[in-house]
Amino acid sequence: MALCAKDVMTGQVITAREDMPVAEFVALLKKHGISGTPVLDREDHLAGVVSATDVLLHCQVFEDDWQMDSDFHTHVGGESGLIAEDFDDADVRDMKVGDIMSIEAITAQIDLPIRELAGLMCEENIRRVIILQGTKLAGIVSMTDILRAIVDGRLA
């Protein structure tokens, strides 16, 4: 039987809320050592995704234009792409997560075979997929989860 998303996903997912202040979201990222989260609405349905990059793209350092070549690395600490300890959130202090999140979340159902899930990740050029069971958040599968399944011999 083929491995499915449910077999490799992380089930306990750190989430943000649409009405969460961005400063609180930044603290959440730092606390958990993560770079982004799914965003839930008041009914616990997926509303979007938000990441450290979304925070940084709304800071004045980027002015009003999208910049592919930026000093992003001076605002992000470590290899994992986390927001640096000395990051100043003054530009986003009055914003809510719902103001900066991406509403186009790439999702998959809990029973999607891993090979198809990996194909989706390659096609969409993403490192993580939010896993749903029906319309409810069930977990997240990252590239690392899939690689771990390969290394463990569960995915031949």
Side-chain angles (χ1 to χ4, degrees):
M1 185 170 174
L3 278 182
C4 295
K6 67 182 173 190
D7 300 316
V8 299
M9 72 181 189
T10 300
Q12 295 199 349
V13 181
I14 306 298
T15 61
R17 295 281 179 183
E18 287 179 298
D19 60 352
M20 176 185 277
V22 170
E24 187 178 325
F25 171 68
V26 169
L28 181 77
L29 294 182
K30 289 178 183 179
K31 176 182 177 184
H32 294 284
I34 57 178
S35 61
T37 68
V39 179
L40 302 179
D41 64 17
R42 291 177 193 248
E43 289 80 37
D44 287 337
H45 292 109
L46 184 66
V49 292
V50 66
S51 69
T53 302
D54 295 316
V55 174
L56 297 173
L57 289 175
H58 286 82
C59 291
Q60 289 301 314
V61 70
F62 292 100
E63 299 171 353
D64 293 327
D65 298 320
W66 175 267
Q67 296 187 17
M68 294 302 289
D69 296 319
S70 70
D71 62 345
F72 177 79
H73 64 281
T74 65
H75 298 281
V76 177
E79 295 176 3
S80 60
L82 306 179
I83 293 179
E85 288 300 319
D86 63 348
F87 175 74
D88 181 6
D89 65 354
D91 294 325
V92 292
R93 195 163 287 144
D94 296 328
M95 298 179 104
K96 304 285 186 202
V97 166
D99 298 327
I100 67 169
M101 72 180 189
S102 300
I103 58 172
E104 298 295 324
I106 306 297
T107 65
Q109 289 295 314
I110 198 166
D111 58 352
L112 186 69
I114 293 300
R115 291 188 191 280
E116 290 181 44
L117 186 59
L120 175 65
M121 293 167 87
C122 289
E123 182 180 305
E124 296 292 336
N125 194 26
I126 55 176
R127 294 184 183 98
R128 289 172 200 81
V129 175
I130 297 169
I131 306 300
L132 302 176
Q133 186 164 18
T135 61
K136 291 287 191 178
L137 177 66
I140 289 183
V141 173
S142 71
M143 292 267 238
T144 302
D145 296 324
I146 294 173
L147 290 172
R148 191 173 293 116
I150 293 170
V151 170
D152 292 347
R154 296 184 290 150
L155 186 64

